[in-house]
Amino acid sequence: MNSKVFMVIRILLGLFVLVFGLNKFLNFLPAPEVTGDAGAYFGALVSSKTITLVALVEVLAGLALLLNKFGALMALILMSVSVCAVLFHATLAPEGIGPALGLLIFNVLTLIGYKDRYKDILRA
């Protein structure tokens, strides 16, 4: 992957997760109305403070990607958040799947950009 294209993807992913992670703490973006099973699930995430952990991971990953420090590690950790976001929207709230798919795509592209850093881990 071209280094300039990778840099743009890395920065976009970093900004995306930093903004949405900070929003979970500061509530500067309006939250969509979540009802039914999706509301119950999201309510459980909030009451168990799991959403706080997700927000912390997003903020740390966003900063790491923007500063290009530990980006390869944080992109791996962020993959769990990306997959869970897509699964949540695919099963419980399909109307909001667009940004979740965007997050997953940017995350996969970032992992591809960092592929040289994972060679030792994936060696048999």
Side-chain angles (χ1 to χ4, degrees), residues 1-2 7 9 16 18 23 37 41 44 50 61 64 69 75 82 87-88 98 112 114 116:
M1 178 181 304
N2 184 336
M7 182 181 70
I9 290 169
F16 187 89
L18 181 63
N23 184 57
D37 289 339
Y41 178 74
T50 303
K69 300 288 182 192
S82 301
L87 291 175
F88 170 79
I112 291 169
Y114 280 126
D116 293 337

Side-chain angles (χ1 to χ4, degrees), residues 48-118:
S48 68
K49 305 292 188 224
T50 303
I51 206 73
T52 303
L53 177 62
V54 171
L56 185 62
V57 167
E58 287 176 339
V59 169
L60 291 175
L63 290 173
L65 290 166
L66 289 173
L67 298 173
N68 202 22
K69 300 288 182 192
F70 304 106
L73 173 64
M74 295 310 285
L76 278 175
I77 294 169
L78 188 59
M79 196 63 184
S80 63
V81 174
S82 301
V83 169
C84 286
V86 169
L87 291 175
F88 170 79
H89 285 290
T91 58
L92 297 173
E95 63 279 355
I97 199 164
L101 282 174
L103 172 66
L104 182 63
I105 290 167
F106 276 122
N107 203 163
V108 168
L109 291 173
T110 303
L111 290 172
I112 291 169
Y114 280 126
K115 71 180 179 289
D116 293 337
R117 306 262 178 104
Y118 307 127

